[in-house]
Amino acid sequence: MTHAAVSPPRPFALACPDLSAERLGNTGTPGVWHFDTGEPGNKVMLSALIHGNELCGAWALKAFLASGLCPRRGTLTLAFCNLAAFDRFDPSDYLPSRFVDEDLNRVWSPDKLADPTTSERRRAAELRPWVDQADWLMDFHSMSTSDVPLQLTGMHQRNIDLALRLGNPANVIADAGHAAGVRMRDYGRHGAPDDNGTRALLIECGFHGAPESRDVALDQMARFLIEAETLDRADVPSGWLAADASRQQALRVTQAISSPSGRFRFARDWKGLESLAAGTLIGWEDGEPVVAPYDNCVLIMPSVANIRPGVTVLRLAQTIA
Ligand SMILES: [Zn+2]
C-alpha cells in the first residue's frame, strides 16, 4: 500500500529554540533540571517536548532558566522530554518529529515502561523518577490545527478546579485520555481518582507553529507556579502573564473517536470548538458516516495529521453544567 505525500497543513512561524545549553540539565538526566529550595512546599514539575515538534513549552522552560528566577518553596523540576525527536525537527516538514519510534505520551503504563524496545520507552524510563516525585505537573503541548488554547484536565475534579482557579485559558476540557496508551499526566499517583494532593494539567497552547503559542506557555507557566506557591506573583517577570480569560467554560469529553482503519476523513475543515446539532455529519470512518450523537456536541481537537490505525482523531464534549 502506498501513501500519498502529506504536506504540512500550515506554515511554521515559531522559531526553533537553541537548546544546546538547556539539554544538559543539572541532574545527570539529560534535559532535566531540578531545584530544591530546602523550604516546605509542593514538588512541581514542568515538562516540554513530550512531542518533539511542540516547541512552545521548550521556549517557556528556556525563558525560566534564562530569567535567573529562584523558586521560593518546595522543589521545581524542568524537563525537556523527547530530545531525540526534537533533534529531527524541520520547520518545512514538522509532523514527523512528533516522535522517533512511538508517541512518548502513550507509554506511561507498567507494561510499556518495563519493555524498553523503543526510543520513547527508554526515555520514559529516564524521566520516570522525576514524574514519580512530582506532586504538581504541568505538561506543555501544542496542536496540529487548532489555534484556541485548551487546558486538558483529565476527569478528576481536583484538576478541573485548578484549571478554573488559574483563570486562563478560556476552555477547560475534562478528558479521559487515549485508547492507544496512558499519558504522562495520567500516570501513577496523578491518575488516582481520590484527591491525594497531586495536580496535573496538560496545556495545549495553540497551533504548533504559531508564535502566540509561546506567549500562552509563558502565561500558563507563571499561573501554575504562582498557584503552586513555587513563586510569588511579584516574582514573575513582566510580559509573562496575559490578561485573564473574560469567561472560562468547562467541557467534559463524552467520547474519543479513534480510527480503527486509519482512513478517517472529516466532512468539513473543522477547527475545533464547533458546537453541532445532533445528527450533523462530522466525517467518515472508512466510508461509514460519523455524526454528532447529541445536541450542543462540541468538537475537540479534530485532526488527521497524525493518523494511523487506532489513533484518536477527535473528541466530543458537552458543557459541564
Ligand atoms: Zn502534544
Side-chain angles (χ1 to χ4, degrees), residues 174 251-257 274-282 290-300 314-320:
L251 299 159
R252 192 179 305 282
V253 171
T254 57
Q255 59 218 86
I257 298 189
E274 294 90 347
S275 181
L276 306 185
T280 306
L281 180 65
I282 297 170
V290 175
V291 302
Y294 48 82
D295 278 333
N296 303 313
C297 176
V298 180
L299 307 186
I300 306 295
L314 169 76
R315 289 91 150 173
L316 306 180
Q318 56 192 180
T319 304
I320 296 174

Side-chain angles (χ1 to χ4, degrees), residues 243-262:
D244 287 354
S246 55
R247 176 179 163 272
Q248 284 183 293
Q249 68 167 345
L251 299 159
R252 192 179 305 282
V253 171
T254 57
Q255 59 218 86
I257 298 189
S258 64
S259 176
S261 70

Side-chain angles (χ1 to χ4, degrees), residues 7-59:
S7 56
R10 293 173 59 176
F12 206 102
L14 177 62
C16 184
D18 175 359
L19 300 181
S20 51
E22 292 80 4
R23 68 187 304 139
L24 301 176
N26 69 350
T27 60
T29 306
V32 178
W33 297 78
H34 185 72
F35 305 95
D36 187 345
T37 65
E39 300 294 328
N42 290 309
K43 294 181 166 72
V44 176
M45 180 169 174
L46 307 176
S47 53
L49 292 177
I50 278 278
H51 296 132
N53 59 352
E54 300 182 2
L55 309 182
C56 54
W59 274 115

